[in-house]
Amino acid sequence: MLYFDNAATTPVRPEVLDAMMPYLTRWFGNASSHHTVGEAAAEALADARRRVAKVLGLRAGDIVFTSGGTEADNLAVKGIAIAAQQHRDAGHFVTTPIEHEAILESGDYLHRVHGFDVTQVPVDGTGRVSPDAVADALRDDTALVSVGYANNEVGTVQDVAAIAAVTRSRGIPLHVDAVQAAGWLPLSAEELGFDAISIAGHKLGAPKGTGALGVRGRIPLEPLLHGGGQERGRRSGTEDVAGAVALATALDLAEAERAESAARVSAIRDAFVGRVLSTVPSARLTGDPVHRLPGTASFTFTGTSGEAVLLELERRGVVSSSGSACAAGSDEPSHVLVAMGIPPEVAQTAVRFTFPHELSAPLDAVADAVAASVAAVRSGG
């Protein structure tokens, strides 16, 4: 079976499993405990925090370990916006309509429970948002702007640095959801200019349930979880030391390999896209053809059902997806594709292929399987 749903999750890397194992066995202690076993855990946690901070270009104290990308996004959006409302009477949140549900539903929560106005800045037909449009959406009471670095369905990459320049000029924090970008794109705060960033370990070869929010120390952050005051009071709960070690290890490995793997996979992706477009009638590439993740190729196949194509592909030994795993099973068309101007009936024909970092061979056979699957669905069998 060939697995091309790496945007949904990745297998745990052997190096990551080896790194975390001691903190599941011998050094299993609670990092808050003041004895040998607890202090060993605390040292490992502090080291993991420093390593994650280094990749993100932040200070160790800026890192909050979370249970994954969804929690990191919720903590960023709700925590920064509510703190801004308390400190300076802010009541406006800006995002885009193609964000992950963790961002969009957090914005809806801010509106319903805390009275925020929410502005979704439109994107163009490739999924890109204009920095000028973001600038036009800002108000004196804007608490936060949140933009996905790379879209989880179509792979479109935003010009984060240009957007950050706009928000910085107005003194408004920028949160970047980098869950899909990590391992493929630069993550340095110095280069990108963000104030907060979310990442998730299971997109990088760490276990599910691991993640982090990086947030500059000058940004007030209201916690969502209250209790023992861990993570400097920003995220209470006994820390997952093994998970933090796993995340740091996976992030280090991905960063060391990033430039080489991105160039290699981009070339294979481009050849795959070209073959699919040339062999599948009415196939359409979605997302930006240039500003896209190296490992993402997403298509619509007019006249089919995306779910039916996926079933045919799996019969041929290829596992893929119709979009975000978080929306799997929904009968609704992709909100990302609809926001990009794709008709709902066409959006429901979407199929997404997301590749692993170690991909090294041409995908001609996979492209041929796509053509055969689409033809089978169109012929009714």
Side-chain angles (χ1 to χ4, degrees), residues 222-283:
E222 179 68 17
L224 304 185
L225 299 178
H226 302 87
Q230 291 88 348
E231 299 295 298
R232 297 175 62 190
R234 296 169 298 181
R235 199 266 190 186
S236 290
T238 301
E239 297 97 340
D240 178 3
V241 177
V245 170
L247 175 64
T249 303
L251 191 59
D252 279 342
L253 291 168
E255 183 64 13
E257 300 163 355
R258 177 172 57 80
E260 186 277 331
S261 63
R264 171 172 35 80
V265 175
S266 291
I268 297 171
R269 176 208 63 200
D270 288 345
F272 173 73
V273 168
R275 192 174 181 97
V276 169
L277 294 179
S278 66
T279 59
V280 182
S282 75

Side-chain angles (χ1 to χ4, degrees), residues 27-78:
W27 302 112
F28 60 88
N30 187 321
S32 298
S33 296
H34 298 292
H35 49 57
T36 303
V37 181
E39 288 170 357
E43 289 175 7
L45 184 67
D47 179 65
R49 199 182 306 279
R50 286 190 293 268
R51 291 160 63 192
V52 171
K54 182 178 180 180
V55 174
L56 300 182
L58 298 170
R59 301 178 306 170
D62 295 337
I63 305 302
V64 182
F65 287 114
T66 69
S67 63
T70 290
E71 185 190 343
D73 283 346
N74 272 259
L75 180 56
V77 173
K78 297 173 185 175

